[in-house]
Structures are given as structure tokens and as C-alpha cells.
Amino acid sequence: MAAPFEDWYRQMPVVTRTFMTGAVLTTLAVYLDIVHPLELYLNPNLIFHKGEVWRLVTNFLFFDYFGINFLFHMYFLVRHSRMLEESSYRGRTADYVFLWLFGAIFLLALNIGMFYINLDSRILFLAPSLAFVIVYVWARRNPNVRMSFLGLFTFNAPYLPWVILGFGMLLGQSPLLDGLGIVVGHVYYYLEDIYPTISNGRRILRTPQFLKTILDAPVAQQAPRPPAPAFDEHQHEQ
């Protein structure tokens, strides 16, 4: 029984696998009372006045205690993150990490901004919002994919974030977390996919070179070889 899970885990692309592992381990640590959610949640006062900077990261790794809500979020995140990483970002690990960083930093800025202008957002954990950023980008990049919701109706993939948001509202959940993810996801999608097509190729978003050096270069140099013909070089570029 262990082998199929191990194969599935190892075959998962690195960014998706890393985030999933972090989220599961964080939730497990809470379940085992190693840490308490109060030590993980986003609190600007504790971050800037007490130096508890880890909260900038840990608030993205805790969705909920083990249960239906946790499984729901992890299913949608892992499924769509894997498809996105294996399609649009295949061979572009640095660019995919940059998408996650863009989403996380933008969400932090929005949340901290609301905190300091006295908007009571009551957002303690931004993990669901970050997951929604990934789902939104995948949905917009797959406009012709047909999907079904609980077997009740079908729709094209770009409507998926709105379907999930509406379903959550029917269950009494606040639309704020999902709504923030949609906003940030759309900003990224516009700047990365739309703006360059209407500005003669100008790009506002550029993956920092240090990320490409760390994350992409080792892959290209994984199997050093002596000087090779052009055909072999082309294979490496792919």
C-alpha cells in the first residue's frame, strides 16, 4: 500500500510537493500539540514589534485542523497546482516559485494594509487565499476545459473560482478569503499574460535572476557533458 503513495508523491513536481509537505507537517504539528495556531497566525503587531517574523510564512501553511475543510482546500490546491506546474511552468521552476512569492507578498501587503487602516478583516491565515491565486491562474489559462460541479452542472474552467466562491457562501463562509485570492490571481494573470500582448511585449513581472540561478541552472547542469553537437544542446534547452 505504501508504494503507490510513494510513487505519487515522488512524481509530484517540486514546488507543489514542497508546499503540500509544509502544509501537512504544519497541520500535523498542530494536531499533535507541538505548536498552537496562535503561534502561527498573521499578526502585524507581533511581527513588527515582537520580531515574530516566522508568522509571515506560517500563516500560509495552516488551512484548518484535519477535517473536511482541510481536505477540500488541499485537494483543489494540489490538483490545480500540479497541473499548472506540469504545463505552463514545465522546466520553469523559478518562474513558478515567483508566482507563489508574488501571490504571498501581495496578499500580505493587502492584509497588513487593511490592518493599519483599521479595517477589521479578521484574516488570521492566508493559506486559502494563496491557494485561490493558484486555482485562478490555472483556470484562466485553460479556458476551454469543461468541468462539472458535483454532477449538477458543467462550466468552462475560468468560472471555477467563482463557482467555489459561491458554494462557500451557500455554506455560510465569508467570501473575503476567496475574494482576495481572485483579486491577486487576476492581477498576476493580467500582468503576466495580458499586458505583454497589448504593450508590444513589455513585461512588468520578471523573475529575479537569483531565483533562476538557484532553481533552474542546476537542472540544466545536472549531467555535465563534454562539448556536444547542436542537436544535444537543443534537447537541453527543452
Side-chain angles (χ1 to χ4, degrees):
M1 293 296 292
F5 174 79
E6 183 178 351
D7 290 342
W8 173 80
Y9 182 79
R10 289 179 178 276
Q11 290 171 5
M12 190 176 299
V14 62
V15 179
T16 302
R17 182 173 68 239
T18 300
F19 184 86
M20 183 192 73
T21 302
V24 171
L25 290 178
T26 300
T27 308
L28 182 63
V30 171
Y31 176 77
L32 296 175
D33 289 328
I34 298 173
V35 296
H36 193 278
L38 291 177
E39 301 174 86
L40 306 175
Y41 78 100
L42 183 63
N43 185 316
N45 279 331
L46 294 177
I47 293 170
F48 296 117
H49 301 297
K50 299 292 185 179
E52 298 183 4
V53 294
W54 64 83
R55 295 177 183 271
L56 293 171
V57 176
T58 56
N59 85 93
F60 289 110
L61 295 175
F62 185 71
F63 289 87
D64 201 344
Y65 294 95
F66 285 127
I68 297 298
N69 191 44
F70 172 81
L71 293 175
F72 177 81
H73 281 98
M74 289 303 295
Y75 169 77
F76 274 97
L77 172 61
V78 172
R79 182 174 188 268
H80 295 94
S81 176
R82 178 173 186 169
M83 289 191 292
L84 190 60
E85 190 172 356
E86 291 179 337
S87 56
S88 297
Y89 294 95
R90 178 178 293 274
R92 299 168 54 208
T93 300
D95 291 336
Y96 195 48
V97 169
F98 182 65
L99 162 56
W100 284 79
L101 290 175
F102 175 89
I105 293 170
F106 204 145
L107 287 168
L108 285 171
L110 287 175
N111 189 263
I112 293 174
M114 289 189 293
F115 177 85
Y116 279 108
I117 62 176
N118 296 319
L119 282 179
D120 186 13
S121 64
R122 298 181 182 178
I123 296 178
L124 304 181
F125 295 95
L126 287 167
S129 300
L130 185 58
F132 235 76
V133 173
I134 302 303
V135 171
Y136 184 90
V137 173
W138 176 86
R140 292 302 300 264
R141 288 187 172 177
N142 293 273
N144 298 318
V145 173
R146 296 290 292 171
M147 309 191 74
S148 173
F149 183 73
L150 300 178
L152 299 176
F153 59 91
T154 59
F155 53 91
N156 285 352
Y159 292 102
L160 176 62
W162 303 101
V163 171
I164 299 175
L165 184 147
F167 181 68
M169 292 178 64
L170 289 177
L171 296 179
Q173 299 176 4
S174 169
L176 183 58
L177 282 172
D178 294 347
L180 284 175
I182 288 175
V183 169
V184 174
H186 185 73
V187 171
Y188 177 87
Y189 172 74
Y190 178 83
L191 294 179
E192 179 69 12
D193 292 19
I194 303 300
Y195 182 74
T197 66
I198 62 176
S199 62
N200 295 321
R202 286 183 54 196
R203 307 190 70 86
I204 295 177
L205 296 182
R206 294 183 181 275
T207 302
Q209 184 58 44
F210 78 90
L211 284 180
K212 293 185 177 182
T213 300
I214 295 171
L215 298 173
D216 289 344
V219 175
Q221 300 170 3
Q222 192 169 12
R225 298 181 180 182
F231 176 77
D232 193 61
E233 292 176 2
H234 179 68
Q235 285 183 318
H236 279 284
E237 290 175 0
Q238 289 180 332

